[in-house]
Every structure is written in structure tokens, then in C-alpha cells.
Amino acid sequence: MLIFELSQPGRTAAAQLPADTAIPSDLPEALRRRERPALPEVSELQTVRHYTNLSRKNFSIDTQFYPLGSCTMKYNPRACHTLAMLDGFLARHPYAPESLSQGFLSCMYDLQEILADVTGMKGGVSLAPMAGAQGELAGVAMIVAYHRHRGDTERTEIIVPDAAHGTNPATATMCGCTVREIPTKDDGDIDIEALKKVLGPRTAGIMLTNPSTIGVFERRIQEIARLVHDAGGLLYYDGANLNAILGKVRPGDMGFDAIHMNLHKTFSTPHGGGGPGAGAVGVSERLKPFLPVPMIEKKDDGRYGWVRRKDRPLSIGRLTTFAGNAGVLLRAYVYARMLGREGMRRVAEYATLNANYLARRLADAGFDLAYPERRASHEFIVTVARQKKANGITALDFSKSLLDRNIHAPTNYFPLLVPECLLIEPTETESKETLDEFVEVMTELLALSASDPQAMKDAPLTMPVRRLDDVKAARELDIAWQPPAAA
């Protein structure tokens, strides 16, 4: 039921909005409403119950296990939220002068330095991008700007592996480049010989995720970096999977020239449902002049201030009105300070340990791993292609059945090169007991797929809605309530 359907004329939460509330006297007449807005008229108790009940219908990291591959849906420490919501931060206006923003600016400067250090990006970091996709756009835009500044305008090809995130080719195209796809070998590594064939005078760069989206570490990454650099191209690092190597190995040391970091993944700030996010970008020395603005600098007198376009004439410019999602960046800063160097290493160790433990147990239970000979990084792929062939049970059937058992589904059907795949990421914040429970449920479903496949085809049975037509829902949005027509 919609809250509009609870509405009754004249019913209000009177204690919250007294009836004699006056219109501000300085509001121009031309800007005042002629009619009351069409808002639901409900009591405070009705409102509380309505939205509380809605929240109970949602899956969330606070209430359920969320093994969503590549999205790192892990617990967000409440200390990060509490400190980011201190009055001094919340009350600061984005246009506040530097003199009244020293506390905030010092935190952001430190975050820039921490991220540059942990990624090995010696050219520095900009916090401006407000999402992973925007950080990705900034990374490729800087590579393109670098080549144009050198007069190398023929370099318009971006190489993308077939296992890459879908945003990678989209980003390259948005930056005016042509995408050259290269295959992944059966062992999970990039096909080096195929890479050599597409490298040439038109190569602007290559977009990689390491560990890749299939959950393995690219073992010949330094050779790849050498080949691309020798051809005159640059390397971009998609930081979606950064928590797998945090504090253990740095993209800058692998040979990457640009990186975006999903702070709303690796650095444990809230995300999902379209935002908010933070996609900070870091660069090697050669790309430093092209970093997006504004950035934060520490001046000779120890005070902090903004670096703007006039200070960086080669910058790709602004990405948003202000300087990134301040609240998200503050949470990432607190989380990084809480972890410290040793804590960051533990993040990678436990993320990898949990993934390998889960992969081994599921394999022992009878599931097929897509890359059984490789050690998982922070995530791994199970394929149920054998179950589909035997009983018609798909990856989607497993996922819908998990919902009935109070576990969120893993990523389905990605990467596309693995048939009927489930991309599973337990993250570093889950306990062994939770992982064992997941294995028990998956083992139960594996048996059910053979004994009663229709039961899985019918799932979910306990959710507010059953299986929806996802394509129709996306193409025919119905988000405006209309009152029923009078009889």
C-alpha cells in the first residue's frame, strides 16, 4: 500500500507542523503557491509504521548476508557515520571560505595523501569524482588529454579485456575512443599474444582490473605494463576490487598510470541504490597536471586551501559543482585512520581468506568453480551450467531461492564469458559462522535442484513480490501515484 492510500483529508501530524505556520514575509508573492501541494495527509504514527514496514522489506547489509561479487557490500562501522556527522562537518557550507574550513580541508588533504600512498600513485590524488563511473571517466579523460597535449592525436584506441566491467567500454567510448577487446585465456589471465596484436601507434591505453572480475590476480601484469608503455600507451586501473590487495601490493608499483578508487566499496562507506559514492582518482607523475579540480593543498604556512583550474591549466577541469561527496569522503577518511597500515593489510588478508574458504567448501559440496586451478582473490565464480543441462536450473533460480532463505543473491551472469555464473564475494567483514551458514544453504539448494527443480523455479515465495519482468520494469517506469477515478 502507498502512503497516499492512507491519506484522509484534514489528518495531520499537528505537533510536528502547527496549523498557524506563517509564510516567510520576505518570500516574493510570485514564488508562493496558489494551492497546497498534493501531499498525503496522515498521522505521525501512520507515517512511522508505513516507512518502518517498507524498510523491513529491503535486504540490507545491516540485516542479511550480502555476498554480492565485485560490489563489496560490507559492514560500515558506525564510528565512521558518527564522526562524519559532527556538527562542524554537517553545518559547513560548500561555499564556506578556506579560513572557516581548515578542519574539513585538513581531513581531505590527509585522505588524498593516504590514498596516494596506499595505491603508489606518486602524482597525487583528486577526490572530486562522485562515483566510480565518474572516476573511471576522469581516468580515461586524463589519458586522452595527455596524448593530445603531446600532439599524439592519433592515439584513440583503448584496449579492454572481455572480462572487464561493462562501464569500461562505455567510458572509453564517451571519451571519444575506439574499444579494442582482447580475450581472457582459460586459466583466467589475459591473452598476451592477442594483446601484442592490437598494440600499435593508435593505442591510447588499456583498462584493467587487477584482481580481475573473474576473481584472479593477473600474474603477468608487469609484462603487460611494459608492452603497453613500449607501444606508447598508458595503463588505467579500475579500482573496484582494490580491497583484495589493500596494503599488500600497489597499482602504481604494477605500472599503472591512473586509477579510480571506489571509496564506497574498499573504504567502507554506504552505497547501493544509486549512491552516494566517491570515485577518487590517483595518477603517476606523467598525468599529474591533468588531475580534475578542485584539490586540496597544504600551503607553506601550514594552512590548507583549494587547488583550482587557474592553478592547473592542463587539468581536465571540474566534474561537479563542488568537490565530491563530502560526507562519503569523511567516512572513508575515518575508516582509513581507524585501520592504519596494519589494518589495511588485514582487510586484504581476510577478504582473500574468506573467499578462498568459501570457494573450497562450495567445491567440496559439489559446485563447479569456473577457475578451479587458481587461487581466488577477494571473489570467485561458481558456474551451475551442469545443473542447467541436467535439470534446467539456472543461476537465477539459485539466486531467487537464496532470497527465501534470508540471503541476498550474488551477482548473476557476470562476467559474461562464464555461462550460468554466480560471482560471489564474502568480503572481509563476515564471520566464519555466516560463511558456513551460506554453504549449508547452497548445499541444500544443490540437492533441491535435482530432487525438486520446480520448487526453485517457483522461488521466491516469501518476498513482497515474486519474479518481475525486469526489462519491462526498467523500460516502463511507473513511479507517479494517481488517485483512483471517481465512481
Side-chain angles (χ1 to χ4, degrees):
M1 176 175 285
L2 301 178
I3 195 168
F4 285 92
E5 296 174 83
L6 301 174
S7 179
Q8 293 292 331
R11 182 176 291 164
T12 63
Q16 304 301 321
L17 183 63
D20 61 351
T21 301
I23 296 175
S25 59
D26 59 347
L27 188 65
E29 181 67 29
L31 299 180
R32 299 183 187 185
R33 286 184 178 272
R34 299 293 180 265
E35 299 176 357
R36 292 174 62 86
L39 299 176
E41 298 180 73
V42 291
S43 70
E44 180 178 348
L45 182 56
Q46 284 180 302
T47 304
V48 170
R49 284 177 178 167
H50 177 76
Y51 286 106
T52 299
N53 287 328
L54 279 181
S55 72
R56 289 174 176 171
K57 294 180 180 180
N58 288 334
F59 272 78
S60 76
I61 196 66
D62 289 352
T63 53
Q64 285 103 355
F65 180 38
Y66 225 104
L68 195 60
S70 279
C71 281
T72 318
M73 295 292 280
K74 64 186 179 184
Y75 176 70
N76 309 143
R78 291 306 183 263
C80 300
H81 303 328
T82 301
L83 294 174
M85 294 176 69
L86 291 173
D87 289 344
F89 291 135
L90 286 182
R92 178 189 165 272
H93 193 280
Y95 283 137
E98 292 177 1
S99 60
L100 300 179
S101 304
Q102 289 299 297
F104 172 74
L105 292 176
S106 68
C107 292
M108 295 299 96
Y109 177 81
D110 286 349
L111 180 58
Q112 287 178 177
E113 295 296 295
I114 290 170
L115 296 177
D117 179 55
V118 78
T119 59
M121 288 292 153
K122 298 180 180 179
V125 165
S126 169
L127 305 175
M130 298 181 73
Q134 198 175 61
E136 196 174 293
L137 182 70
V140 178
M142 286 188 284
I143 290 175
V144 171
Y146 168 82
H147 290 307
R148 287 177 179 170
H149 178 65
R150 290 162 52 89
D152 212 349
T153 56
E154 296 300 310
R155 293 192 178 273
T156 58
E157 293 182 352
I158 294 290
I159 302 167
V160 177
D162 58 0
H165 290 118
T167 53
N168 288 179
T171 295
T173 302
M174 288 182 67
C175 288
C177 296
T178 302
V179 176
R180 299 293 302 272
E181 186 176 272
I182 55 173
T184 301
K185 297 193 299 181
D186 291 342
D187 64 3
D189 285 336
I190 287 174
D191 188 329
I192 297 290
E193 295 307 312
L195 172 63
K196 291 177 180 177
K197 292 178 181 178
V198 297
L199 287 171
R202 299 185 65 84
T203 300
I206 186 170
M207 302 179 77
L208 293 176
T209 305
N210 196 27
S212 68
T213 55
I214 58 178
V216 299
F217 191 89
E218 176 57 58
R219 293 172 290 193
R220 299 173 69 178
I221 186 59
Q222 290 183 312
E223 180 183 356
I224 292 170
R226 177 181 58 78
L227 288 169
V228 174
H229 283 149
D230 287 350
L234 302 182
L235 284 85
Y236 160 84
Y237 185 99
D238 183 328
N241 301 336
L242 188 62
N243 65 318
I245 63 170
L246 198 61
K248 306 292 284 189
V249 62
R250 306 188 305 176
D253 299 335
M254 298 180 205
F256 284 91
D257 299 286
I259 173 178
H260 96 263
M261 295 155 271
N262 289 349
L263 302 187
H264 48 285
K265 295 183 181 183
T266 301
F267 287 87
S268 200
T269 66
H271 80 297
V281 286
V283 295
S284 60
E285 285 287 352
R286 74 178 86 195
L287 288 181
K288 181 177 180 178
F290 306 96
L291 277 165
V293 292
M295 294 173 60
I296 298 95
E297 65 176 351
K298 189 173 184 179
K299 300 179 180 180
D300 293 338
D301 61 2
R303 296 175 66 81
Y304 300 90
W306 295 109
V307 177
R308 304 186 187 277
R309 183 64 181 268
K310 62 181 178 62
D311 306 308
R312 292 274 180 99
L314 295 181
S315 168
I316 62 171
R318 280 185 173 272
L319 297 171
T320 55
T321 302
F322 299 113
N325 276 319
V328 175
L329 295 170
L330 283 166
R331 285 166 171 81
Y333 170 68
V334 174
Y335 184 68
R337 291 296 299 267
M338 288 170 61
L339 287 176
R341 289 183 182 274
E342 181 57 34
M344 290 190 189
R345 283 193 290 270
R346 288 201 306 272
V347 163
E349 289 167 355
Y350 279 99
T352 304
L353 175 64
N354 283 355
N356 281 275
Y357 173 74
L358 208 52
R360 186 72 268 151
R361 287 217 55 197
L362 288 175
D364 291 344
F367 283 94
D368 297 329
L369 300 180
Y371 300 93
E373 303 303 320
R374 297 292 300 274
R375 190 196 73 162
S377 286
H378 64 306
E379 62 189 356
F380 61 97
I381 298 175
V382 163
T383 173
V384 295
R386 182 163 53 89
Q387 284 71 33
K388 181 181 180 181
K389 183 177 181 181
N391 304 303
I393 294 298
T394 65
L396 185 64
D397 296 328
F398 272 90
S399 292
K400 295 300 185 181
S401 300
L402 282 172
L403 299 178
D404 278 336
R405 289 154 181 81
N406 210 34
I407 296 173
H408 193 279
T411 298
N412 288 189
Y413 303 117
F414 181 81
L416 297 175
L417 68 161
V418 180
E420 295 300 327
C421 69
L422 297 168
L423 181 58
I424 302 171
E425 181 182 6
T427 78
E428 66 274 15
T429 55
E430 297 293 348
S431 67
K432 179 177 179 296
E433 290 79 10
T434 299
L435 304 186
D436 288 338
E437 179 185 353
F438 178 66
V439 172
E440 291 176 10
V441 170
M442 289 289 285
T443 304
E444 172 198 339
L445 293 178
L446 186 60
L448 189 63
S449 70
S451 64
D452 189 2
Q454 190 58 46
M456 294 180 67
K457 290 289 183 185
D458 292 339
L461 300 174
T462 61
M463 295 292 102
V465 295
R466 302 289 293 278
R467 298 201 188 190
L468 303 176
D469 185 332
D470 296 334
V471 175
K472 181 180 176 64
R475 290 181 175 176
E476 300 178 21
L477 289 178
D478 182 9
I479 55 176
W481 179 77
Q482 296 292 335

